[in-house]
Amino acid sequence: MSIGNSPEDERPFEDVSEEARPSVGRALQQARIAAGLTVDDVSTATRVRIAIVHAIEADDFAVCGGDVYARGHIRTLARAVNLDPAPLIAQYETEHGNGRPAPTPAAPLFEAERIRPERRGPNWTAAMVAAIVVVIGFVGFTMVKGGDDGGKENVADGTASTESASPTPKAEKPAVPEPEPSDSAIAAAPQDKVTVQVSAVDGRSWISAKDHNGRLLFDGLLKQGESKTFQDSSKINLVLGDAGAIDLFVNGKKIEDDFQPGAVERLTYTKGDPQAG
């Protein structure tokens, strides 16, 4: 018989109270250090941000965004450091969730996600855009068809096309060459003046005409079929941009110079027989 305490009684009392048990964050930190891992290693392996790993190891779960996410992070980190996540999650729920899961803080997020699809009604915007496109297409088709019908009516109805056809003859009138001076016009040319008539018969040409004082009588484009007549008491100076397109009548006589197409000619005519200056 032994006197005193038995070996079992001599064993140190194992304090299994909550105060002696490490916190969730402390347990994760110790397991990480024991596994030889850094915070960066755990973050890389779990894809949990470094700041959140540091906060959880410091028992700061506010950065997790709610109990649901906190439990998820604890489970992920525990597995990364070779710990059983179940006791840690139970400890977390005891310390932070009154011993049972508290999904309430995360409920609004998931509730919003469930409600959002239910609120989607018919896509009125797309329907309105489609309706507008249909209306525009119908109006455009109607206008094009109306324009075609109007053109056919104008062809059939002579009175309806009078106004639209009227500008055409006016535009074509300058293209009709004016008749050359008759013998009576040539005979009527004043003998005491120089008279020069410029006619664009083979195309258009820019011309410039000045009197003996250098005063500008005309400077512009002479279209095909148009003519200009200039008179002065002693001299007419001409510049022809395209002499090959021009016929000249000086003092009632046609000038038979062999002007080349596109050639620029500077000419001077006086009283008496015409001659090139």
Side-chain angles (χ1 to χ4, degrees):
M1 177 181 294
S2 62
I3 299 174
N5 296 330
S6 64
E8 293 180 358
D9 294 334
E10 291 177 355
R11 288 181 304 175
F13 178 73
E14 183 178 355
D15 187 0
V16 294
S17 64
E18 293 183 359
E19 295 181 357
R21 183 173 58 183
S23 65
V24 175
R26 179 63 176 168
L28 291 172
Q29 184 184 47
Q30 291 175 350
R32 175 180 59 78
I33 294 173
L37 300 174
T38 65
V39 173
D40 290 342
D41 295 335
V42 174
S43 175
T44 302
T46 61
R47 296 185 180 180
V48 177
R49 288 181 297 172
I50 294 177
I52 295 179
V53 176
H54 279 298
I56 291 177
E57 289 187 351
D59 292 309
D60 179 8
F61 299 96
V63 296
C64 295
D67 290 342
V68 173
Y69 297 107
R71 286 193 291 272
H73 289 325
I74 292 171
R75 182 179 295 106
T76 302
L77 295 178
R79 290 172 178 170
V81 297
N82 300 320
L83 282 181
D84 182 7
L88 294 177
I89 293 174
Q91 182 180 349
Y92 170 83
E93 292 174 352
T94 301
E95 295 174 355
H96 300 277
N98 296 324
R100 57 185 176 86
T104 305
L109 176 63
F110 296 102
E111 185 71 19
E113 294 179 355
R114 289 196 300 269
I115 293 175
R116 190 174 297 115
E118 295 175 1
R119 291 181 179 177
R120 291 179 182 174
N123 194 339
W124 295 111
T125 301
M128 291 178 64
V129 171
I132 292 173
V133 171
V134 172
V135 171
I136 293 175
F138 177 76
V139 172
F141 174 76
T142 304
M143 294 177 64
V144 171
K145 185 175 179 57
D148 293 341
D149 293 342
K152 293 178 180 177
E153 291 177 358
N154 288 340
V155 171
D157 188 356
T159 57
S161 60
T162 302
E163 295 180 358
S164 61
S166 59
T168 304
K170 293 182 180 179
E172 293 177 356
K173 285 183 178 179
V176 179
E178 294 183 358
E180 297 183 359
S182 61
D183 295 340
S184 58
I186 295 174
Q191 299 298 317
D192 58 342
K193 295 182 179 181
V194 55
T195 302
V196 177
Q197 183 184 39
V198 183
S199 299
V201 294
D202 294 327
R204 60 181 185 175
S205 173
W206 172 84
I207 66 171
S208 174
K210 295 181 181 180
D211 63 9
H212 71 283
N213 290 321
R215 182 172 62 90
L216 188 65
L217 301 177
F218 180 79
D219 184 86
L221 185 66
L222 195 65
K223 297 180 181 180
Q224 184 176 5
E226 292 183 338
S227 296
K228 289 288 184 180
T229 301
F230 309 104
Q231 276 191 344
D232 187 68
S233 59
S234 59
K235 182 172 62 175
I236 295 291
N237 295 311
L238 290 177
V239 179
L240 306 179
D242 184 0
I246 298 298
D247 277 357
L248 290 178
F249 294 87
V250 179
N251 298 325
K253 298 179 181 179
K254 185 176 180 180
I255 303 300
E256 298 297 341
D257 291 338
D258 188 13
F259 296 137
Q260 297 300 316
V264 178
E265 296 288 343
R266 300 178 181 274
L267 308 169
T268 299
Y269 294 104
T270 57
K271 295 184 291 184
D273 293 334
Q275 61 183 359

